Amino acid sequence: MRTITIDEAPRFVGEEVTVRGWLYNKRSSGKILFLQVRDGTGVIQGVLSEPDSSPSLFADADRLNRESSLIVTGVLHEDHRAPGGCELQIKDITVVQEPTDPFPIELKEHTPGFLMDHRHLWMRTGRQVPILRIRDTVFRAVRDFFHRRGFVATEAPILTGTSVEGTTTLFEVDYFGEKAYLTQSGQLYLEATAMALGKVYWIGPVFRAEKSKTRKHLTEFWMAEAEMAYYDYADNNRLQEELIAYIVGAAVAERKQELDLLKRDTEKLLEEVSLPFPRVDYADAIKLLQEAGHEVSFGDDFGAPHEVTLGEHFRKPVFIERFPVSMKPFYMKRDPSEQSRVLAADLIAPEGYGELIGGSQRVDTLEELSAQLKERHLPSEPYEWYLDLRRYGSVPHSGFGLGMARTIAWICGVPHIRETIPFARQLNRLYP
Ligand code: 4AD
Ligand code: MG
């Protein structure tokens, strides 16, 4: 007998197969039992009719509770009404374990707090499985993209002695009596690695002690970061838009069924990633927002309502570029044509999903870097190694960081990024 996964079922219509999984849901209609079985690759409907099966099998199956773990054998039949296109006529069931209590997640509405408290069980249900499968595809697509372009995968340390993205969102750790921090971004280390290897990337966990409780902020999240020697500002932005188009293309090609389950409009998604993405000067973006009725002025950061307006206006990801120096971290190179601006762009998602990428050309001279550290009252000792990169064979270089959770939320069309990671860490959320 052949053991299959549920996503393989259409290939084995007419054959007897075994599926190993869990009882997702159960319905009965008179003398027929419908057992929906899930196994992580999909859900299949198993059918058991009282006249055709042994009375004990029917009675045993009728007693089963949701999330009983089961090994089910039966014959696959084509059924166009069934999701996945087939149904399993059940011949035998082996129960691996019967739950000790009723499964807490009912297939109806629960409050977000309840669901997040039961995240370890919630993830088995509804749209959570397709979202996590799409997450897997997005991670793989990022790696494929970089490998095809000759990037070297590398790593940055999680425990660090310095801040990258400002000192207000650092998680402090006691490091044998010394102060250490959980990294906010691997960027500075990737800059060093790029000077050794040329073009590098990683997908790593990063940490921000964000006090904000929004649908776009986690305190621990995964970032795909890349750093390229000899790339200027324009090269950097081109690479970013190609990456985004590649990821979305891969997700739609490989996870169409999951995206359909989430009711995501994939046509719209593909239209949104047609290249190139618009590039809009920060000052023009502020003007555009003012004309749309927002109260913002030059020097302000964008909030959620501004990002929604930008999304509605451009209908695709948009680079907002050349920010005022004061808005951005110390490592960004100033625009030679306007010293009060940096060669940096944020890529803002359509549909209100917020900033997907932050990127810039980096400061590449010792004088400019020392001056910028001083200006921001950052001590130079912990950054000596980083200053060394400008002492020994410095070259123009650029890089960026892509927030994986926000990218996945946009691709899936789910409103809150807490659903795009197996176990979200947020303000007030350390359990489970
Ligand atoms: O814009 P950020 O802060 O950029 C950096 O950290 C750079 N050092 C990256 C680099 O150039 N290598 O963060 C990059 C991206 C944001 O655009 C956003 O998508 C995501 O990371 N991000 C968050 N995602 C979830 N929760 C948070 N609290 C996030 N903060 C940033
Ligand atoms: Mg940013």
Side-chain angles (χ1 to χ4, degrees), residues 164-165 184-188 190 202 206-208 210 212 216-227 236 328-329 331-332 346-347 353-360 362 398-407 417:
V164 197
E165 299 298 320
Q184 298 167 308
S185 153
Q187 179 196 321
L188 306 189
L190 261 62
W202 82 320
V206 295
F207 305 85
R208 306 268 169 104
E210 303 263 15
S212 47
K216 290 177 207 151
H217 287 90
L218 300 172
T219 54
E220 174 181 321
F221 57 99
W222 290 73
M223 216 196 278
E225 294 186 276
E227 207 62 40
N236 191 27
K328 292 292 182 188
Y331 53 71
M332 293 183 176
D346 285 353
L347 186 69
Y353 283 93
E355 185 194 314
L356 298 178
I357 298 183
S360 68
R362 318 304 193 190
S398 303
F400 64 89
L402 165 78
M404 298 298 283
R406 291 185 193 176
T407 305
I417 67 172

Side-chain angles (χ1 to χ4, degrees), residues 7 40-41 119 127-145 203 222 246-248 250-252 254-255 258-259 262 404-405 407-409 411-412 419-422:
D7 59 347
T41 72
R119 181 59 174 163
R127 55 188 197 172
Q128 302 310 311
V129 172
I131 293 170
L132 293 178
R133 291 174 72 85
I134 292 165
R135 178 181 170 92
D136 161 61
T137 296
V138 170
F139 269 66
R140 197 146 27 82
V142 169
R143 296 187 176 114
D144 283 350
F145 175 86
I203 308 179
W222 290 73
Y246 184 88
I247 295 173
V248 170
V252 173
E254 290 171 31
R255 293 284 174 231
E258 283 81 358
L259 290 163
L262 299 172
M404 298 298 283
T407 305
I408 295 161
I411 291 173
C412 292
E419 290 185 43
T420 67
I421 183 165

Side-chain angles (χ1 to χ4, degrees), residues 306-373:
H306 309 130
E307 291 169 347
V308 170
T309 301
L310 292 171
E312 282 169 359
H313 186 88
F314 294 103
R315 296 179 183 281
K316 51 194 341 206
V318 52
F319 288 107
I320 308 297
E321 55 179 4
R322 301 177 66 251
F323 286 88
V325 169
S326 60
M327 289 179 66
K328 292 292 182 188
F330 66 92
Y331 53 71
M332 293 183 176
K333 188 176 174 65
R334 298 199 184 204
D335 185 340
S337 69
E338 196 178 344
Q339 285 288 315
S340 65
R341 306 277 208 105
V342 281
L343 292 176
D346 285 353
L347 186 69
I348 308 295
E351 304 175 55
Y353 283 93
E355 185 194 314
L356 298 178
I357 298 183
S360 68
Q361 186 164 342
R362 318 304 193 190
V363 175
D364 51 26
T365 69
L366 188 60
E367 300 69 42
E368 194 179 342
L369 188 56
S370 305
Q372 295 201 177
L373 285 172

